[in-house]
Amino acid sequence: MRKINIFSLIYATALLLLGSGAQANLLECRLDETQQKQIQLAASQLPNNIIEPININRPSQAYCLQQAFIKHKQDNNPLTAGYKIAFTHVKVQEMFDTKEPAYASIFTGQFLANNSQIPTDFAVNPMYEADLVVEIKSDKIMQASSHLQLLQHISKLYPAFELVTLPFNMKDEKVRAQVNANQLIAHNIMSVYFVLGDAIQVTATEEFAHKLGNTRILVTDENKELIQTADTESILRHPLNALAWLIEKFNQQGLALKAGDKISLGSLGKLRPVENINKQIRYQFVNWPEQPQVTMSFVSNTKQENK
């Protein structure tokens, strides 16, 4: 009789109970010993060290690795505070060899207050990008099927900066060839922090939905010099389309959003490297009466203020 690896069977079953982004079955979620060791090492070393890519054959396997990554992170007691949606622009999908968005978990402690001071060494290969974050008001959002219905179950909208790491040796051609969507999914899509700006109270109206989908943002430095502009329609043609995609995926998997969850809807503009200390970065919505904005500064080593 063939010997059964009990650890692999228990491990795979646990991953199924946690859920996977590709509806993986028991066999798909079974990780070999090398993968188990690699993802555990990555979870302990990120975001401060360069790591090696993992051999990943299919998207379902990437989400199984992500769940293993999250499990090891949660051994240190961080709780899930929301979710990040990635690859929401066709050019980014082409860059990372995927045809649809992806999601990852956000932990408590990753959300920082407006005007936070960020140490330049918060991660290896540190970068940032403009983002949009919404806060869920009710788990009834899982039944929403239109923009207006989604807005009924969202309490707040935040302009935000996402701070990320790209922890691979991108100078190595072989490594660079392995860094695709599956690799990022497996490592929880590399988010480190989210700086949340001024909260905007959401109203469930056609006007608000239209404005949200047709807004330009400006990213500037401390001298008010323009860094970049971007449009909210770059997120799947409307930011709420990204949220609708996540809800559809979760409904397929028996997962659910809950009140208080914060959802990163996707990036606005390009991912940019962190620059020198004492560099202040701000982004603001154009032509909103609330004048919502978010600001952060890159400085030498300092403590973070969670939000």
Side-chain angles (χ1 to χ4, degrees):
M1 180 180 294
R2 187 167 59 92
K3 186 177 180 180
I4 297 174
N5 187 325
I6 297 298
F7 176 80
S8 293
L9 184 59
I10 294 172
Y11 190 79
T13 303
L15 289 176
L16 278 176
L17 293 174
L18 284 169
S20 77
Q23 293 179 287
N25 63 29
L26 182 62
L27 293 176
E28 290 174 322
C29 269
R30 186 174 294 154
L31 306 178
D32 63 35
E33 186 177 352
T34 299
Q35 290 173 321
Q36 293 165 15
K37 288 180 178 179
Q38 282 184 297
I39 203 67
Q40 184 173 5
L41 183 63
S44 64
Q45 292 189 331
L46 289 178
N48 302 116
N49 296 280
I50 294 290
I51 61 173
E52 293 294 325
I54 299 175
N55 183 29
I56 306 171
N57 298 318
R58 53 192 182 277
S60 60
Q61 195 175 53
Y63 277 106
C64 291
L65 283 160
Q66 183 189 106
Q67 292 300 332
F69 181 96
I70 291 168
K71 177 185 179 298
H72 291 303
K73 282 291 187 184
Q74 289 177 331
D75 287 344
N76 295 319
N77 298 318
L79 301 176
T80 300
Y83 300 92
K84 164 190 169 67
I85 306 170
F87 315 133
T88 54
H89 193 286
V90 63
K91 290 184 178 179
V92 179
Q93 291 177 8
E94 291 171 356
M95 183 185 305
F96 289 104
D97 191 25
T98 183
K99 295 182 179 180
E100 70 168 353
Y103 71 83
S105 292
I106 304 173
F107 303 120
T108 54
Q110 287 189 288
F111 290 111
L112 306 179
N114 200 7
N115 299 306
S116 283
Q117 295 182 324
I118 313 296
T120 53
D121 61 351
F122 71 85
V124 65
N125 292 334
M127 292 174 285
Y128 73 93
E129 61 187 5
D131 204 327
L132 281 177
V133 171
V134 293
E135 186 170 331
I136 304 302
K137 180 166 59 177
S138 166
D139 59 5
K140 293 180 180 178
I141 198 167
M142 300 306 296
Q143 285 75 54
S145 60
S146 69
H147 287 177
L148 279 182
Q149 289 175 4
L150 288 168
L151 289 174
Q152 288 172 6
H153 304 294
I154 299 172
S155 58
K156 297 173 185 176
L157 168 72
Y158 300 90
F161 281 117
E162 181 184 7
L163 302 167
V164 305
T165 178
L166 189 60
F168 303 106
N169 180 12
M170 299 302 285
K171 294 180 181 179
D172 186 317
E173 185 176 346
K174 291 182 179 179
V175 170
R176 194 165 60 247
Q178 290 181 270
V179 179
N180 56 20
N182 287 340
Q183 201 66 230
L184 299 188
I185 290 168
H187 293 91
N188 207 38
I189 318 189
M190 310 303 184
S191 293
V192 182
Y193 294 117
F194 291 85
V195 181
L196 299 183
D198 300 329
I200 304 165
Q201 297 300 315
V202 170
T203 56
T205 63
E206 293 282 2
E207 179 185 7
F208 191 96
H210 177 79
K211 187 166 59 172
L212 177 57
N214 293 274
T215 289
R216 171 153 291 192
I217 71 157
L218 302 179
V219 183
T220 56
D221 66 13
E222 71 276 12
N223 298 316
K224 298 184 178 180
E225 293 289 332
L226 181 66
I227 296 174
Q228 67 173 334
T229 64
D231 297 300
T232 54
E233 69 175 3
S234 65
I235 301 176
L236 294 182
R237 299 183 302 281
H238 193 294
L240 291 176
N241 290 340
L243 184 57
W245 174 87
L246 182 66
I247 288 170
E248 180 180 6
K249 285 292 181 183
F250 273 25
N251 279 329
Q252 290 172 359
Q253 299 155 26
L255 304 176
L257 302 177
K258 63 183 185 302
D261 280 346
K262 292 184 175 71
I263 312 300
S264 162
L265 299 180
S267 61
L268 296 166
K270 296 180 180 179
L271 189 65
R272 306 183 73 88
V274 168
E275 300 181 58
N276 57 296
I277 63 172
N278 300 321
K279 182 78 171 179
Q280 186 183 80
I281 310 293
R282 171 178 297 164
Y283 106 62
Q284 62 192 79
F285 290 2
V286 176
N287 296 329
W288 281 55
E290 305 95 329
Q291 296 185 321
Q293 59 184 320
V294 57
T295 302
M296 64 181 178
S297 300
F298 292 120
V299 299
S300 56
N301 191 30
T302 185
K303 289 185 178 180
Q304 300 292 355
E305 180 185 354
N306 294 347
K307 185 167 182 176

